Amino acid sequence: MPRICSSQRNRSNVPSNNIEEYYKKSILPYLDDLMMALNERFIPHNETITSLQYVLPSIVVEKPFSYLKKAVEFYENDLPGLNDVIEAEFEIWQAK
């Protein structure tokens, strides 16, 4: 538990009687905020993130290219006209 002084300038003093209570009051709100921020950022892209796992060597052998379509569609603006090339590369990666 951090030292509590009379005038804290960089952070607030969290009143507590023991270490466990201190962490419940100071760290848990931070972790809740962090989890909420991560969910807000990544949940809308859940399908895209899920489809990217199909390039992993242990999974790529079993799944067809259609499973990777969401990720290809998401990055379509960054890779214009390369859908056929990406599919060919996927098949080469599967064979390897």
Side-chain angles (χ1 to χ4, degrees):
M1 188 163 86
R3 187 186 79 214
I4 297 176
C5 61
S6 58
S7 65
Q8 186 65 262
R9 293 184 186 166
N10 297 323
R11 60 188 163 140
S12 61
N13 282 329
V14 178
S16 60
N17 297 327
N18 58 28
I19 295 172
E20 187 175 327
E21 185 179 336
Y22 169 78
Y23 280 104
K24 281 183 181 178
K25 289 181 178 180
S26 65
I27 301 297
L28 289 180
Y30 168 74
L31 292 176
D32 287 341
D33 185 54
L34 177 66
M35 290 298 295
M36 190 170 42
L38 289 173
N39 284 334
E40 286 176 5
R41 183 170 185 174
F42 292 113
I43 291 295
H45 302 291
N46 191 25
E47 290 180 1
T48 304
I49 294 168
T50 302
S51 70
L52 283 172
Q53 74 179 346
Y54 297 114
V55 297
L56 295 174
S58 61
I59 300 174
V60 75
V61 176
E62 306 165 358
K63 305 295 181 188
F65 180 72
S66 62
Y67 282 72
L68 191 64
K69 270 297 195 197
K70 284 287 184 190
V72 173
E73 289 170 2
F74 182 79
Y75 290 108
E76 192 170 37
N77 293 336
D78 298 326
L79 307 167
L82 295 178
N83 287 343
D84 297 333
V85 174
I86 293 171
E87 187 170 359
E89 289 290 331
F90 181 81
E91 290 170 2
I92 291 170
W93 183 239
Q94 272 185 320
K96 186 171 180 148

